[in-house]
Amino acid sequence: MDSQPGSRQNVPESRRLQGYWNDGLGHAALRSAQVLLVLLLVSVGVYALTQVTLVVIPLLLALILAAAIAPFVNWLRRKGWPGALATGTSFLLLLAVFGGLVTGIVFAVRSEWSTLVDQAVAGFDELYSMVQDGPFAFDDSVISDARDSVLEFATSSSVGNGAIAGISAAGSFATGFVLMAVVLFFFLKDGDKIWSFILRWFRGERREKAALAGARTMEVLGGYVRGTAIVAAVDAVCIGAALFILGVPLALPLAVIVFVGAFIPLVGATAAGVLAALIALVANGPVVALIVVIVIIAVNQLEGNFLQPVVMGRTLSIHALVILLALTAGTILAGIIGAILSVPIAAVGWAVIKVWIGEDTGDPEEVAEVASPEQDKDLDAAEKGSTGAGRAGD
């Protein structure tokens, strides 16, 4: 029997194939292919960045430090300081504070590191014996293996003197620090020109969104660093004072570890508190150790319910699960530096996403200011001036 006009057999093959992509399953397949392609590009990009960590990490650290100190530079300029003098003064002051802080931390912890390890191991053993004598049964092999692994790591060459003793590690550290200092100086000196050059690739509404996203990035990074430093200082002072009053040995190194650990949300402060409690347990007994635990819990509650909301504001407005996943990914990719940088990067990513999807539209005056083409004109004038000077020199 002849096929009727308009039947399936008379439909051209190209239209028939196209029909497979027009239904729900076809749309899902196209979307899945797009997602897989994006994930592939992101994976390749992340892998490429992990191969040049000597460049990427100093660049990120310089950007974060520049965001933290930029308000001080702008304040000096508003007070009438010349731009070069304000930048140079802020740069030298930041290097002095940063270098002094790192030096103090290294000397405070390094001189007492072996004692800290011994006290912590003794505290763990005492806690282990208390657990064994308790009413609940635990697998001794699992606990012993965990203890041996932690002890092996703490006493290995990767911790303490051996961590930076090698020529290669010392050279990489020095190179990264010098690169970070140079990049930081240019970020403070020519940050507006660099950002204006990047914005020249955008037009119209995309330019406004890109400019607002950049402003939010600097706000999030600067607020995160300043807020975390304040919270870390409060934690270190409160816990260190409690340890000193209770007569716990190594109070100063423990306070320093609390300060450094506070820069790793959720995990760092808890780990430092556990270390302090173990040392108090072996040196002062269970009563003092219990008091130390209560102090640490009280400080954590103060931080979570008061300090973080007041000091940080909306800077870190991301869920704790996202922070935990970011910490895990950052630690896997770049170790302790990755753990420190992962949270601000995640916060910046969320701020940029909110701007790009239209959830954060910003104040109209703010958008007009950050997206103003006046900076482009200044940049064009500077480029023409430098070109003219070069021709005149020729």
Side-chain angles (χ1 to χ4, degrees), residues 27 40 57 89 127 129 145 150 156 177 242 263 293 312 321 360:
H27 289 304
L40 177 61
I57 292 179
T89 302
L127 181 63
S129 62
D145 292 341
V150 174
S156 66
F177 182 81
F263 283 87
V293 171
M312 303 291 285
L321 178 60
D360 181 8

Side-chain angles (χ1 to χ4, degrees), residues 82 148 161 164 209 234 298 320:
D148 294 339
N161 296 334
I164 57 175
K209 288 186 175 181
V234 172

Side-chain angles (χ1 to χ4, degrees), residues 179-270:
L179 179 60
M180 183 200 70
V182 173
V183 174
L184 174 61
F185 177 79
F186 282 109
F187 276 167
L188 293 175
K189 178 177 179 292
D190 300 325
D192 293 339
K193 294 180 181 179
I194 295 173
W195 184 234
S196 296
F197 177 79
I198 296 176
L199 287 180
R200 296 175 69 181
W201 297 94
F202 298 90
R203 292 291 183 270
E205 183 181 357
R206 290 181 178 271
R207 179 189 176 88
E208 294 181 356
K209 288 186 175 181
L212 183 58
R216 290 290 183 264
T217 297
M218 299 303 289
E219 291 177 5
V220 169
L221 290 179
Y224 176 80
V225 173
R226 293 189 297 270
T228 303
I230 294 173
V231 172
V234 172
D235 289 351
V237 169
C238 292
I239 295 178
L243 295 176
F244 180 78
I245 294 173
L246 293 172
V248 178
L250 307 172
L252 179 59
L254 288 173
V256 172
I257 293 176
V258 170
F259 178 81
V260 176
F263 283 87
I264 307 177
L266 300 179
V267 179
T270 302

Side-chain angles (χ1 to χ4, degrees), residues 20-29:
Y20 289 119
W21 299 102
N22 290 333
D23 58 1
L25 185 60
H27 289 304

